[in-house]
Amino acid sequence: MTVINLIWWVAFLCCGLVMQSLLPGIDVLLIGLIIALQEGKFTQILWVFLVVILLQEGIGALPFGASIRSYSMLVLIFYGGRALLERENILFVLLVAVSARLGHYIFTQAMAALQGISLPGGRLALESLTQALILPPLWIMAFVLRGKMVPHAQN
């Protein structure tokens, strides 16, 4: 990993955390994992996966393990969906975003029901829909910025 690549990831994670504090319920760090998966470098995927999980588990309100499940599901959706579309295609990113957020909604509702917790279903549905719609434009911005700042990364 080059120094500029490391600087980009640190800057992305810092910006992502700030954006998440401004947009409650929206997982901006998900975009970083998608970009790492698209680039296909195993060591980069592994450390981005671990760092994002540690950050989300530390700042999240859900019980421990929710981020692990969510991001693991994203990886499965990514590798399953890339057989259908090119990984840099905006439709592919939209498919991944919608699938991941639908899974998040179903899993959160199921876990709340098992624990006897009443969740405002409308709010969770709105957060999931907002996340699915906001992720593709944010991904485009991050993808383009990454291409300009770390040009060799997307090869």
Side-chain angles (χ1 to χ4, degrees):
M1 178 176 290
T2 64
V3 173
I4 191 72
N5 192 25
L6 182 61
I7 290 170
W8 190 90
W9 280 111
V10 169
F12 171 82
L13 292 170
C14 290
C15 290
L17 291 172
V18 169
M19 288 182 73
Q20 280 190 191
S21 70
L22 298 174
L23 302 167
I26 305 299
D27 183 359
V28 179
L29 300 181
L30 191 71
I31 296 165
L33 184 55
I34 291 173
I35 289 174
L37 288 166
Q38 287 172 325
E39 292 177 4
K41 298 173 185 140
F42 180 75
T43 54
Q44 179 172 277
I45 293 169
L46 185 62
W47 82 259
V48 169
F49 185 81
L50 292 173
V51 168
V52 168
I53 283 176
L54 289 172
L55 288 170
Q56 292 293 39
E57 290 294 339
I59 62 174
L62 294 174
F64 180 78
S67 295
I68 296 169
R69 185 238 1 116
S70 180
Y71 290 131
S72 297
M73 188 172 66
L74 174 77
V75 171
L76 291 174
I77 291 168
F78 179 87
Y79 284 114
R82 81 174 182 178
L84 301 172
L85 296 165
E86 292 181 31
R87 13 178 233 207
E88 286 87 16
N89 187 323
I90 188 68
L91 291 176
F92 176 69
V93 174
L94 185 59
L95 171 73
V96 169
V98 169
S99 300
R101 293 301 93 190
L102 180 62
H104 170 76
Y105 177 81
I106 292 168
F107 183 79
T108 303
Q109 287 288 37
M111 290 298 105
L114 287 173
Q115 295 175 3
I117 299 171
S118 175
L119 287 178
R123 179 173 179 206
L124 182 59
L126 182 62
E127 283 180 0
S128 296
L129 180 63
T130 303
Q131 170 82 31
L133 294 176
I134 207 168
L135 189 121
L138 291 176
W139 168 80
I140 289 171
M141 290 184 341
F143 188 78
V144 168
L145 280 172
R146 182 145 172 86
K148 289 183 186 298
M149 294 179 68
V150 191
H152 66 281
Q154 297 172 348
N155 294 336

